[in-house]
Amino acid sequence: MLRGLYTAASGMMTQEQRHNTVTQNIANINTTGYKAVNSVQRSFPEVLVSMIGGNQSSEAGRKLGKFNTGVYAEESISLYTEGALRETGKTTDFALVSSFNVQNPATGENYPFDASGRYVDDNGEVIYRPEGFFTVRNEDGDTRYTRNGSFRLSPEGSLLSENGYQVLDNNNRPIVLTGSARNFTVNEQGEIMDADGNGTGITLGISIVSEPHGLIREGLGVFRMADPDGQTRFMTDTDNGVIRQGFIEASNVDPTQSMVELTAALRAYETNQKIVQYYDRTLDKAVNEIGRV
C-alpha cells in the first residue's frame, strides 16, 4: 500500500516540475531570442517481483513479473529551433538565420536531425546539430552566448547586449565603433561597414557550438558552456548562416502547445492527488477502525 502512495507522490512532484517548465516558457513568449525548454520524465528502474517458496520444486522461487515504482523529472532540454523574425528597423538589432549541417562520414550525407536538433544512429549514439550564437563578454570577462541580438551603442561606441555585456567580434575582441563607423551597416556575413560603405575590418563574432546540449542557462537569454573546453568556433563564409540587420528573433515557444502541456500536467497532478487521498483514507480505516475490532 505504501508503495502505491510513494508512486503517486512521485508523480505529483514530476507533474509540478513539468508545470513549472511550461509556465516558464509561457512567461517568455515575448522574450527576444528565448529558447523553449522541455521537461523529460523517466520511470524508476523496473523491479522484479518474485515469491520465495511459492514453488517448492524451484529453489529460486516463482517469478511474478516486473513493475515500476514511480516517475521523476530527469532533466530539462532546450529546443534551439529558430523563432520567427520580427523587423524593427534599428541598425543595432540583429537576427541569426542558420542551419548548420553535419555530414555522416560513412555515407557523406547530412544527418537527418529531428525537430529538437538531434539524431540517434543505429548504435544508439546521439549526435546534436551545431547551433549559432552571438558572442558576448560579461562584466567578469567570461565569454557567454545568446540569441538575443537586440544590441545598443554606448556613448563611447561600444556595442553592448541588452543586459550590458560587450559584443565580441570574430577575433574575440569587444566591438567598438567610432567616427563614421557609428552609422554602420552589416552585411549577411556579419561584416560591419561604415557610413560610406567601406569595410571597418570588424565582423560580428557568431560562435558555432558543436554540442549545444552542453550549454547552461544563466538567465536573461544568456548561456555558458558546461565544459569550458567545449568545442566552439566562429562562423565563416562557408557556413550556412546569414545575419539580418534590423531584425530580431522572437521566442520559439508555441503558445498553443504550451497550453495543452499545461492542462495535461494539471490533470495528471490532480489524478495523482486523488490517489494519495484514497490511500490516506484507506490507512485511516486500517488504523482507526479495523484496529479496534
Side-chain angles (χ1 to χ4, degrees):
M1 182 181 297
L2 290 179
R3 183 183 297 117
L5 181 64
Y6 293 144
T7 300
S10 70
M12 290 177 64
M13 290 187 290
T14 299
Q15 296 306 321
E16 181 182 11
Q17 178 63 36
R18 181 184 178 191
H19 181 276
N20 292 341
T21 300
V22 177
T23 53
Q24 174 185 324
N25 290 337
I26 293 176
N28 286 279
I29 284 180
N30 295 319
T31 300
T32 303
Y34 177 80
K35 299 304 176 185
V37 181
N38 277 353
S39 179
V40 178
Q41 296 92 39
R42 177 175 293 182
S43 61
F44 290 127
E46 291 183 335
V47 177
L48 177 65
V49 186
S50 61
M51 186 170 63
I52 303 299
N55 187 349
Q56 300 297 330
S57 62
S58 173
E59 296 181 359
R62 184 174 58 186
K63 295 181 179 180
L64 300 182
K66 297 180 178 181
F67 70 96
N68 294 102
T69 56
V71 67
Y72 65 101
E74 183 181 33
E75 60 179 333
S76 295
I77 298 179
S78 297
L79 298 180
Y80 293 105
T81 54
E82 293 181 2
L85 300 190
R86 185 167 70 247
E87 186 173 6
T88 64
K90 292 178 58 179
T91 59
T92 55
D93 282 349
F94 303 95
L96 173 61
V97 180
S98 61
S99 180
F100 304 115
N101 297 315
V102 179
Q103 283 190 346
N104 186 334
T107 63
E109 299 180 351
N110 294 329
Y111 286 113
F113 296 109
D114 61 18
S116 64
R118 69 175 187 169
Y119 170 75
V120 182
D121 63 15
D122 296 335
N123 298 322
E125 181 183 358
V126 181
I127 301 169
Y128 292 89
R129 180 177 56 210
E131 299 291 345
F133 298 85
F134 297 104
T135 313
V136 297
R137 180 176 295 166
N138 63 16
E139 61 274 4
D140 296 325
D142 300 320
T143 300
R144 296 293 184 261
Y145 308 96
T146 182
R147 292 286 294 206
N148 185 351
S150 180
F151 300 149
R152 58 183 173 86
L153 276 178
S154 72
E156 296 78 20
S158 296
L159 189 63
L160 304 177
S161 68
E162 198 170 52
N163 48 354
Y165 292 172
Q166 295 174 318
V167 181
L168 304 183
D169 63 13
N170 61 355
N171 290 313
N172 216 32
R173 296 178 301 194
I175 296 177
V176 180
L177 303 172
T178 58
S180 62
R182 292 180 66 91
N183 298 318
F184 65 93
T185 58
V186 176
N187 63 20
E188 291 185 345
Q189 286 70 46
E191 299 171 345
I192 298 178
M193 313 292 181
D194 63 16
D196 301 321
N198 300 317
T200 61
I202 302 174
T203 302
L204 283 173
I206 306 300
S207 291
I208 300 178
V209 180
S210 59
E211 297 183 355
H213 66 287
L215 292 173
I216 297 177
R217 292 173 182 260
E218 286 194 344
L220 301 176
V222 176
F223 299 85
R224 65 178 172 87
M225 293 290 294
D227 179 7
D229 298 324
Q231 295 183 0
T232 62
R233 63 178 178 86
F234 287 112
M235 188 179 73
T236 64
D237 295 341
T238 59
D239 291 309
N240 187 19
V242 174
I243 305 296
R244 301 292 301 274
Q245 186 177 19
F247 290 81
I248 57 175
E249 181 185 0
S251 165
N252 66 351
V253 176
D254 184 340
T256 303
Q257 181 62 33
S258 296
M259 291 306 299
V260 172
E261 287 284 332
L262 196 65
T263 303
L266 177 60
R267 294 290 183 265
Y269 185 92
E270 290 176 340
T271 300
N272 284 288
Q273 184 183 39
K274 291 183 182 299
I275 294 175
V276 171
Q277 292 172 345
Y278 166 79
Y279 276 112
D280 180 63
R281 291 193 298 269
T282 303
L283 289 171
D284 178 67
K285 287 183 177 292
V287 174
N288 297 318
E289 296 183 18
I290 299 177
R292 291 199 299 264
V293 177

